[in-house]
Amino acid sequence: MKADKIILGVLGGVAVGALLGVLFAPEKGDKTRKKIMDKSNDYADELKDKLDTLLGTINKKYEKIWSEGENLIAEGKSKFDDAKHEIKNTSI
């Protein structure tokens, strides 16, 4: 998770730097506002892609853990049934 925080911090810093650069550029207000909107849309799309990637990674890990848990439960039930069957056979 530390890498994710670093990435978000860097993206935030780049966004702030770009915004300040556009604000202090010697252009008309209309052009400046358009540039700000374009940059913010670009950064929003980039952030969305990063979050989608992160959520995909989390989802894969969750599914892997869930599958491993199901396998452990199945193995435990099998061992329990084997032990129960063995006890039944020894007591007869």
Side-chain angles (χ1 to χ4, degrees), residues 24-86:
F24 289 108
E27 291 184 356
K28 288 186 173 188
D30 291 343
K31 286 185 179 181
T32 302
R33 284 190 292 275
K34 179 153 176 39
K35 279 187 176 181
I36 290 172
M37 282 301 292
D38 290 343
K39 286 287 185 187
S40 64
N41 287 334
D42 290 344
Y43 289 125
D45 290 341
E46 189 176 330
L47 184 59
K48 183 183 179 301
D49 290 342
K50 297 277 186 196
L51 288 174
D52 287 344
T53 301
L54 177 64
L55 289 175
T57 302
I58 290 171
N59 192 32
K60 285 178 186 176
K61 287 182 180 181
Y62 172 78
E63 288 175 357
K64 180 181 177 188
I65 290 170
W66 186 266
S67 175
E68 288 175 358
E70 287 178 335
N71 290 341
L72 283 173
I73 289 171
E75 185 180 330
K77 284 181 180 179
S78 176
K79 287 182 179 181
F80 177 76
D81 289 341
D82 290 346
K84 190 167 79 170
H85 181 71
E86 190 175 317

Side-chain angles (χ1 to χ4, degrees), residues 81-92:
D81 289 341
D82 290 346
K84 190 167 79 170
H85 181 71
E86 190 175 317
I87 290 171
K88 198 179 215 184
N89 288 337
T90 57
S91 62
I92 291 179

